[in-house]
Amino acid sequence: SLYGLDQVSETIDAIRPYNDDLQTVGVLLTRYSDRRNLDRTMKDTITARAQEMGATVYAATIRAGVAIPEAHLLRQDIFTAAPRAGVTADYTAFIDEFMKGANNG
């Protein structure tokens, strides 16, 4: 996760001379569980790194769930394949949070 975040940051820095409006709006944690100490520690570290990039970490997180690979197998989106799954509710919460931020900015 941290390696990927660093790569995104480096890519944005490399592209910024060609598009000075380019920015990272937020970071979405996926396959996250607040029950795991490692995940909570990584969230704190990622939050600090995101702040350095001028971004925030979304409050919504996406848990790991079997519905994701099942939807891929069915070649359907998660909302069609598993509308009542917990991970689908997570994505819905993220979309709501993202859209509220988009409407305010």
Side-chain angles (χ1 to χ4, degrees):
S1 299
L2 286 173
Y3 179 69
L5 190 57
D6 286 341
Q7 284 185 316
V8 167
S9 180
E10 289 172 12
T11 301
I12 289 171
D13 288 344
I15 295 170
R16 191 166 282 124
Y18 307 101
N19 181 350
D20 58 349
D21 293 330
L22 186 63
Q23 61 181 323
T24 303
V25 176
V27 177
L28 174 64
L29 299 177
T30 60
R31 298 165 70 191
Y32 178 80
S33 172
D34 61 2
R35 294 180 182 174
R36 290 189 296 252
N37 288 333
L38 177 60
D39 287 9
R40 290 193 308 271
T41 300
M42 289 299 292
K43 182 178 183 179
D44 293 342
T45 303
I46 289 170
T47 298
R49 189 77 50 91
Q51 288 174 344
E52 291 171 8
M53 296 170 57
T56 61
V57 174
Y58 290 103
T61 59
I62 311 301
R63 71 189 92 185
V66 70
I68 299 290
E70 287 176 349
H72 289 175
L73 183 64
L74 295 170
R75 295 180 180 213
Q76 295 179 337
D77 62 80
I78 191 72
F79 303 99
T80 302
R84 290 190 230 131
V87 70
T88 305
D90 294 346
Y91 274 106
T92 299
F94 164 67
I95 291 167
D96 289 346
E97 181 179 356
F98 179 81
M99 293 307 295
K100 284 178 186 168
N103 291 330
N104 290 333

